[in-house]
Amino acid sequence: MGQGMPSLAIDRASPVPLYFQVAQHLEQLIESGAYPAGTRLENEIVLAEQLGLSRPTMRRAIEYLVGRGLLVRKRGVGTQVVQPKVRRPVELSSLYDDLRAAGREPRTDVLAFAVERPSKVVAEVLGLADGTEVYAVKRLRFTRDEPLVIMRNYLPVGLVALDADSLQARGLYELLRGAGITLKIATQTIGGRAAKPNEARLLREKPGAALLTMTRTTYDDTGRAVEYGSHLYRASRYTFELTLTTG
């Protein structure tokens, strides 16, 4: 038997469409863990009757959540909850802090840690003088036991004392803040590409799977570039979220 839906106070006078009110309610149940992955929902007719809505309204709410990757329709089974994606606002924040705040249980494997001469690109982005060395860090970040992102970061040596153990236990921005560095602004570019075999293996994806790319240069309150990052996210588990306003 499928899972019914708790009662929902529908505001019919609200400018927010009814289907979207239902979809938000159901999304909250999924995100909170009340409806874990694998939960099967009642059919649209039953859910519509429970909420006092029309079947087309209920169908549109479910289709909206299918499109967002929170529900899946399976022939012979019905509508089921799937593992929700990590949704992250595009702002100057740490992925580690965002996951921890959302109760996502972040964990980090440090895959590589070295002090080295930077490439020309990294040196230019960070505005480094000739001969300046950088920390070069490669990490695999998990949410619970699911790999989410491969992160490469470069920071000038002397800016902050780093080691592999600290990076495994704490977030990079937390370590920077602990060193008295005030992160002020960043430039960021988001794109996408297919996973290479070694990347797919780390992220538990198939070679060629869609990945989201993100490069970021972060500056402190004096205008100094303090960090350059190049990250690869699983598109099947992660999405960037933006809020748009009129001018």
Side-chain angles (χ1 to χ4, degrees):
M1 183 175 178
Q3 175 75 48
M5 192 183 300
S7 61
L8 167 64
I10 299 291
D11 185 356
R12 297 182 183 275
S14 171
V16 177
L18 296 181
Y19 87 90
F20 193 68
Q21 294 182 47
V22 176
Q24 285 187 312
H25 178 59
L26 187 50
E27 183 173 353
Q28 290 170 1
L29 293 171
I30 294 170
E31 294 286 357
S32 69
Y35 284 7
T39 299
R40 184 169 65 87
L41 300 183
E42 293 281 10
N43 64 48
E44 294 167 2
I45 297 175
V46 173
L47 290 175
E49 290 177 349
Q50 289 176 351
L51 297 177
L53 297 170
S54 68
R55 185 179 179 185
T57 296
M58 194 69 233
R59 182 188 303 118
R60 190 174 179 189
I62 289 175
E63 289 174 347
Y64 173 81
L65 294 174
V66 169
R68 286 178 64 82
L70 294 173
L71 298 177
V72 64
R73 296 179 187 272
K74 295 183 178 180
R75 185 178 298 275
V77 176
T79 303
Q80 283 186 303
V81 176
V82 296
Q83 180 69 38
K85 291 185 178 184
V86 173
R87 296 202 316 278
R88 186 182 181 195
V90 179
E91 58 185 28
L92 184 51
S93 62
S94 161
L95 175 60
Y96 186 91
D97 292 342
D98 290 343
L99 291 174
R100 184 168 56 185
R104 294 279 188 160
E105 301 174 18
R107 178 171 65 83
T108 306
D109 285 352
V110 177
L111 305 178
F113 178 84
V115 174
E116 62 185 35
R117 294 285 296 275
S119 69
K120 183 178 180 180
V121 171
V122 171
E124 288 181 353
V125 168
L126 293 177
L128 301 178
D130 289 343
T132 303
E133 292 184 315
V134 296
Y135 291 113
V137 183
K138 180 180 179 182
R139 295 169 293 163
L140 180 62
R141 175 68 44 76
F142 295 78
T143 172
R144 299 189 176 98
D145 292 323
E146 282 280 329
L148 179 65
V149 54
I150 300 169
M151 303 182 293
R152 292 182 181 272
N153 297 87
Y154 303 89
L155 301 91
V157 168
L159 180 71
V160 59
L162 292 180
D163 58 70
D165 289 342
S166 296
L167 286 164
Q168 186 151 318
R170 301 166 65 188
L172 177 59
Y173 282 12
E174 181 183 356
L175 293 171
L176 289 171
R177 291 193 299 267
I181 297 168
T182 301
L183 304 176
K184 185 68 175 179
I185 195 171
T187 59
Q188 181 166 284
T189 302
I190 298 170
R193 67 169 175 80
K196 299 175 182 178
N198 62 320
E199 297 163 349
R201 176 180 55 80
L202 288 171
L203 293 172
R204 300 179 194 167
E205 293 280 3
K206 294 180 180 180
L211 300 180
L212 289 168
T213 66
M214 187 272 282
T215 59
R216 174 188 283 186
T217 306
T218 307
Y219 302 85
D220 67 8
D221 55 351
T222 70
R224 173 182 55 175
V226 297
E227 176 256 346
Y228 172 72
S230 178
H231 302 168
L232 293 170
Y233 296 85
R234 298 174 69 182
S236 63
R237 293 288 184 270
Y238 189 88
T239 184
F240 291 101
E241 186 173 88
L242 300 96
T243 299
L244 305 178
T245 61
T246 58

